[in-house]
Amino acid sequence: MPSKTLYFPSPRHLLSLYAGHEENLVIVERALNVKLVTREEWLKIDGSTDAIARTETLFGHLNETRGQGVVLRSPDFTRIVETFARGNAAEVQALFGQPLVIATKRKSIVPKTLGQKLYLQSIQQNPVVFGIGPAGTGKTYLAMAAGISALLKDEVQRLILARPAVEAGEALGFLPGDLREKILPYLRPLYDAMHDMLDAEDVARLTEKGVIEIAPLAYMRGRTLSNAFVILDEAQNTTSEQMMMFLTRLGEESRMVITGDVTQVDLPRSKQSGLVEVSRILSNIPGIDFHYFSGADVVRHPLVLKIIEAYERYKNPMAAETPK
């Protein structure tokens, strides 16, 4: 049986390519039909000539990724291997061939899927971008990273983050506390993402000065948002009227990112989601881009993708059936 041995600068270097877990090598063996043996700084590949070549290409891309400063986790490694196994090596090459790094104060954010990279590129190139897709695809997190980066580079003067206060049928009037205490739970995910990228002192200072504003969507009415990076999260819970109101707040030198999951609408049945409707109204306007994420872009625990797929099969059993 043909074999080939790859050599790396150090054992630690090689370990980093498969996230330091031996079980990840088993994933490669099963996906690419090879046998792998590793000792110290070398990796031996046994298999067919074609399988060896594919495996060598895989570890070549992983090595390039490491050279770009990307720290691979096991879920990332699994996604890359599965992409290779599907015959989409070019997709991985496109993802890591030209690195796209969003710098924030606490960390640098690198897209982990091709869909995420295309989304970030769209945000950089268009004044208005819609990021639509399932949970765990990084829609809001990446938009937040782009917004904070633009703020730190003085490309905008303000960062404005909004969410509709509609969640799972709950009504604000029946929640305990004053107005701030009522709306805080709805805005908490935005605060969590922001604190991941900025020091707490900076968040407090910039919020107090009004440079960063986090507020319910209703607070946007009647305003013109100029020189700002504006994010509307959970946009599937906007009505048609609210969506139009928000989009028409766009002022000079501003950018907007609208994110949401059209399968998670919490509006009353009598109300149509503004996010569902808007794609039919604005799809052909230059400067407005719609980016759709798929399950392949899920970057949470690998089980999240399987959960999403299981729910899709449950809701659409006919689509899951194999034609006879």
Side-chain angles (χ1 to χ4, degrees):
M1 180 181 292
S3 67
K4 184 166 187 177
T5 301
L6 307 180
Y7 294 91
F8 299 91
S10 69
R12 177 174 291 184
H13 186 117
L14 176 56
L15 277 170
S16 68
L17 299 187
Y18 55 90
H21 296 286
E22 295 285 340
E23 56 266 30
N24 287 338
L25 294 178
V26 177
I27 294 173
V28 177
E29 290 179 330
R30 291 172 179 169
L32 301 183
N33 196 27
V34 292
K35 177 67 177 175
L36 301 179
V37 178
T38 179
R39 294 284 187 277
E40 299 297 327
E41 73 278 0
W42 56 263
L43 176 72
K44 183 183 178 185
I45 311 168
D46 293 314
S48 68
T49 302
D50 180 64
I52 290 174
R54 292 178 69 198
T55 306
E56 184 177 8
T57 302
L58 168 65
F59 277 89
H61 284 311
L62 292 171
N63 200 35
E64 289 177 12
T65 302
R66 184 187 187 279
Q68 294 172 13
V70 178
V71 178
L72 286 174
R73 304 171 303 160
S74 286
D76 306 326
F77 181 87
T78 301
R79 278 188 290 273
I80 292 171
V81 173
E82 289 177 348
T83 300
F84 257 74
R86 292 194 300 267
N88 295 333
E91 185 176 320
V92 176
Q93 187 174 13
L95 176 59
F96 298 113
Q98 295 181 340
L100 193 163
V101 180
I102 302 296
T104 64
K105 206 147 193 179
R106 297 192 66 185
K107 64 194 300 187
S108 292
I109 288 88
V110 178
K112 292 183 169 62
T113 71
L114 184 58
Q116 287 192 345
K117 184 173 184 179
L118 294 173
Y119 176 57
L120 283 173
Q121 288 175 336
S122 180
I123 291 173
Q124 292 175 341
Q125 296 165 3
N126 295 281
V128 178
V129 174
F130 290 83
I132 302 172
T137 50
K139 304 181 298 293
T140 303
Y141 192 86
L142 292 174
M144 181 80 76
I148 288 176
S149 178
L151 185 65
L152 294 175
K153 292 178 181 177
D154 293 324
E155 294 175 358
V156 295
Q157 296 176 3
R158 292 183 295 165
L159 176 61
I160 300 173
L161 315 166
R163 260 190 166 200
V166 178
E167 297 283 339
E170 296 175 355
L172 286 177
F174 292 98
L175 295 175
D178 58 22
L179 179 61
R180 183 181 181 281
E181 291 171 330
K182 289 174 186 285
I183 65 176
L184 186 59
Y186 299 100
L187 305 177
R188 175 56 62 190
L190 298 177
Y191 278 103
D192 290 344
M194 187 166 54
H195 279 281
D196 202 28
M197 303 172 199
L198 291 174
D199 294 329
E201 297 80 9
D202 290 326
V203 173
R205 176 176 54 84
L206 293 173
T207 302
E208 184 177 347
K209 291 172 64 177
V211 175
I212 293 177
E213 178 183 350
I214 304 181
L217 175 61
Y219 284 33
M220 301 297 109
R221 191 174 298 278
R223 301 173 61 184
T224 299
L225 307 176
S226 301
N227 295 300
F229 195 107
V230 191
I231 300 172
L232 174 60
D233 188 34
E234 297 289 334
Q236 74 274 6
N237 289 327
T238 62
T239 63
S240 176
E241 294 80 11
Q242 287 174 325
M243 179 62 75
M244 182 180 177
M245 177 275 290
F246 176 78
L247 292 172
T248 54
R249 302 307 94 200
L250 183 67
E252 293 184 358
E253 303 299 324
S254 287
R255 286 183 273 169
M256 281 184 169
V257 181
I258 300 95
T259 67
D261 178 359
V262 294
T263 68
Q264 300 289 332
V265 178
D266 295 318
L267 292 169
R269 294 198 175 197
S270 59
K271 295 280 189 180
Q272 180 176 6
S273 167
L275 185 61
V276 172
E277 181 186 60
V278 74
S279 61
R280 298 194 291 266
I281 299 173
L282 304 180
S283 58
N284 296 316
I285 298 180
I288 299 178
D289 186 48
F290 288 82
H291 181 88
Y292 294 91
F293 290 92
S294 69
D297 295 305
V298 172
V299 293
R300 291 180 183 169
H301 193 285
L303 276 177
V304 173
L305 173 56
K306 298 185 185 301
I307 291 169
I308 291 170
E309 290 174 341
Y311 268 91
E312 288 176 349
R313 288 194 299 270
Y314 176 77
K315 292 179 179 179
N316 300 289
M318 297 299 293
E321 289 183 2
T322 302
K324 296 182 180 179

